[in-house]
Amino acid sequence: MMPKQTPYPGFPDISTSGGAVELALDEARNKYQKNFTLVYSDSGCDEGLSILKSYELGTLEKVDAIIGPACAKWYLYDQ
């Protein structure tokens, strides 16, 4: 649950953090001898969309874990 491109400087997006997610999945595959499949969903840094996509991933896609969303409102108020 990560945006393709973040609208906020310094926030993670798929181009800056996608590799770390892949490495973590590879490590989990090796450690637990399980096959994990990565399903990407663009949250667009939108809270409502993130909630909807999380619901869809959990009910329709039957995912076991969600990583994200990557954006947070506190950043907007911290400047």
Side-chain angles (χ1 to χ4, degrees), residues 12-30:
D13 60 28
I14 200 66
S15 68
T16 61
S17 300
V21 172
E22 287 286 344
L23 286 173
L25 282 175
D26 285 343
E27 186 172 320
R29 284 182 190 111
N30 291 333

Side-chain angles (χ1 to χ4, degrees), residues 16-79:
T16 61
S17 300
V21 172
E22 287 286 344
L23 286 173
L25 282 175
D26 285 343
E27 186 172 320
R29 284 182 190 111
N30 291 333
K31 182 175 182 177
Y32 299 107
Q33 300 299 307
K34 299 279 185 184
N35 186 21
F36 297 97
T37 302
L38 181 64
V39 177
Y40 173 75
S41 183
D42 186 357
S43 66
C45 287
D46 180 276
E47 290 175 348
L49 184 60
S50 295
I51 293 168
L52 175 64
K53 291 203 177 252
S54 295
Y55 172 78
E56 289 175 348
L57 288 169
T59 57
L60 303 176
E61 299 283 336
K62 306 284 190 212
V63 299
D64 294 314
I66 295 175
I67 301 170
C71 302
K73 283 273 192 193
W74 64 265
Y75 178 77
L76 300 175
Y77 303 112
D78 198 28
Q79 294 189 24

